Amino acid sequence: MCMNSNFSTFVGLTALGAYVPSEIVTNDDLAKRGVDTSDEWIQSRTGIKERRFARADEFTSDLAIGAVNDLIKRYGENVLAGVDMVIVATSTPDALFPQTAALVQNHFKLEAGAFDLLAACPGWLYALSAAAAYTRSGICKKVLAIGGEALTKILDWSDRTTLVLFGDGACAGIVEVVPDGYGFKSFVLGTDGEGAKHLNMRCMNSKLPDGSLLSEKISMNGREVFKFAVRVMHTATKQAVEQAGMTLDQIEQFIPHQANYRIIDAAREYLELPPERVVANVDRFGNTSAASIGLAMREAIDDGRIKDGSDLLLVTFGAGLTWAASVVRWHEKTF
Ligand code: UT7
């Protein structure tokens, strides 16, 4: 497991954009579409009320481009000046290749390298850690780190337990050198491949180590993932805070992966955090996997919960089974 906080150059997020498709699908809408479920069941088990569905002709690259357009709208065209690397964290790329990041690079005509990163729901935090390493080492100066998912395209409509959880969306952050004291203070990155069987999807004719063929759609053992999630959310949080040389009471906002309100609440209780220090919007967007933390963080910046200099804890879990956590001091730049 990687755990690092020994940083000599300060790098961090300086801008954040977000995008969700316009179609809102409520729990009742799912029932109307023939799913044997109810608003009461979904809300009581997950806290989710609605999620966004991408149009049939809208793919992860379109959502990613939407999030970058939001960056431009908020910060001006200069926000992209000097971007020399594009990373798209996604489990739902438009194609196996070319990489979705290349489609984003081409759309904005960036003079940049581009690659996709697959680390499931923690993908965006892994992308931020890669972006931090690139910018801190000097290999890159300015990285566009995107988390984007069109998960509703890979739903198994015969599995009502899993399909009600997911939604589509994207976030886009800029990572570069920041003034001293700001930026990333720690990263915790871990994986336990023993849990691969609990959350997966086939890619061509892929098999699990025991030889069993994987499903062509998302397949999940919800109970196992739930137990893993609750455990890892609070252990990774504690490790990231400790690595940053801080204590939990110094963290102003805790931004967990938006998978299920019960998981968020269980982690909150373990960590003894008051609800006002925990950002949650899973009720309106469901689980958007690699996009979820960025979408939640953008909302909390917009409503004033996150301010310049706020110390934040980002923590996430997902397929792999994988987890990631980071402490970051937010610094929004004018471009
Ligand atoms: O980023 C990836 C993260 N993945 C997750 O966060 C998933 C974590 N896991 C979970 O959130 C929960 O396990 C679920 C929400 C997926 C499921 O909740 P659960 O309490 O583990 O439900 P269950 O699968 O044990 O099912 C309980 C009951 C069953 O009925 P019986 O056997 O008790 O009569 C299911 O058939 O609920 C039934 N059920 C449903 N009923 C209405 C399952 N899905 C549904 C549904 N609507 N959609």
Side-chain angles (χ1 to χ4, degrees):
M1 185 163 72
C2 299
M3 288 206 275
N4 196 356
S5 57
N6 185 18
F7 303 145
S8 46
T9 307
F10 292 89
V11 299
L13 273 167
T14 58
L16 184 63
Y19 176 81
V20 287
S22 55
E23 189 190 359
I24 297 173
V25 176
T26 65
N27 296 338
D28 285 336
D29 290 335
L30 290 177
K32 281 186 209 139
R33 290 180 192 199
V35 181
D36 181 14
T37 191
S38 65
D39 181 53
E40 193 281 326
W41 191 93
I42 299 173
Q43 281 211 48
S44 63
R45 299 285 167 142
T46 70
I48 298 167
K49 295 180 181 154
E50 60 190 42
R51 73 286 290 142
R52 302 297 178 102
F53 271 40
R55 295 186 314 269
D57 64 349
E58 199 174 26
F59 295 92
T60 295
S61 63
D62 301 303
L63 306 179
I65 288 166
V68 178
N69 280 331
D70 185 52
L71 270 183
I72 294 170
K73 203 170 98 196
R74 291 171 183 275
Y75 302 92
E77 293 279 347
N78 265 346
V79 71
L80 295 184
V83 164
D84 49 6
M85 181 60 75
V86 182
I87 308 175
V88 174
T90 185
S91 301
T92 50
D94 291 24
L96 198 52
F97 53 86
Q99 61 272 45
T100 300
L103 306 179
V104 176
Q105 174 276 327
N106 186 48
H107 182 90
F108 294 101
K109 301 294 175 211
L110 300 169
E111 283 186 29
F115 68 97
D116 289 359
L117 183 156
L118 204 167
C121 303
W124 192 57
L125 271 198
Y126 273 70
L128 293 181
S129 71
Y134 275 142
T135 50
R136 187 169 285 130
S137 65
I139 293 175
C140 300
K141 286 207 160 45
K142 194 170 175 183
V143 179
L144 175 58
I146 296 169
E149 303 283 10
L151 288 157
T152 62
K153 295 191 190 301
I154 57 166
L155 295 177
D156 177 352
W157 285 82
S158 67
D159 176 3
R160 63 177 179 167
T161 314
T162 304
L163 87 91
V164 300
L165 306 175
F166 294 101
D168 300 330
C171 65
I174 296 287
V175 175
E176 58 189 324
V177 170
V178 290
D180 285 5
Y182 286 94
F184 297 111
K185 294 176 179 294
S186 65
F187 279 106
V188 171
L189 305 166
T191 301
D192 174 9
E194 270 299 312
K197 56 187 176 288
H198 296 313
L199 182 49
N200 49 57
M201 188 186 134
R202 182 191 292 193
C203 170
M204 297 182 287
N205 289 318
S206 43
K207 289 178 183 168
L208 282 172
D210 69 3
S212 53
L213 265 185
L214 299 182
S215 158
E216 286 174 6
K217 301 288 178 187
I218 302 180
S219 164
M220 180 167 71
N221 178 340
R223 290 222 159 161
E224 287 301 322
V225 176
F226 194 101
K227 283 190 273 181
F228 154 75
V230 172
R231 187 178 71 245
V232 86
M233 289 276 265
H234 83 275
T235 51
T237 294
K238 286 189 165 166
Q239 286 165 341
V241 171
E242 199 176 299
Q243 285 292 312
M246 297 171 73
T247 53
L248 208 51
D249 54 341
Q250 292 175 291
I251 300 293
E252 284 159 61
Q253 292 293 326
F254 174 83
I255 311 174
H257 174 39
Q258 305 292 307
N260 178 326
Y261 192 73
R262 280 162 63 214
I263 295 173
I264 296 174
D265 215 39
R268 185 187 69 70
E269 279 186 14
Y270 269 120
L271 296 165
E272 297 178 1
L273 292 170
E276 59 275 15
R277 279 171 58 206
V278 179
V279 181
N281 65 2
V282 64
D283 57 327
R284 279 165 295 122
F285 300 108
N287 180 346
T288 57
S289 188
S292 92
I293 287 189
L295 288 179
M297 185 170 162
R298 186 63 256 178
E299 271 197 9
I301 299 165
D302 288 340
D303 67 23
R305 273 176 291 171
I306 297 175
K307 301 176 192 65
D308 195 70
S310 291
D311 285 318
L312 313 173
L313 185 286
L314 319 180
V315 60
T316 172
F317 62 90
L321 297 170
T322 303
W323 62 93
S326 177
V327 173
V328 59
R329 182 169 293 170
W330 171 240
H331 173 62
E332 196 163 35
K333 206 170 128 177
T334 308
F335 292 86

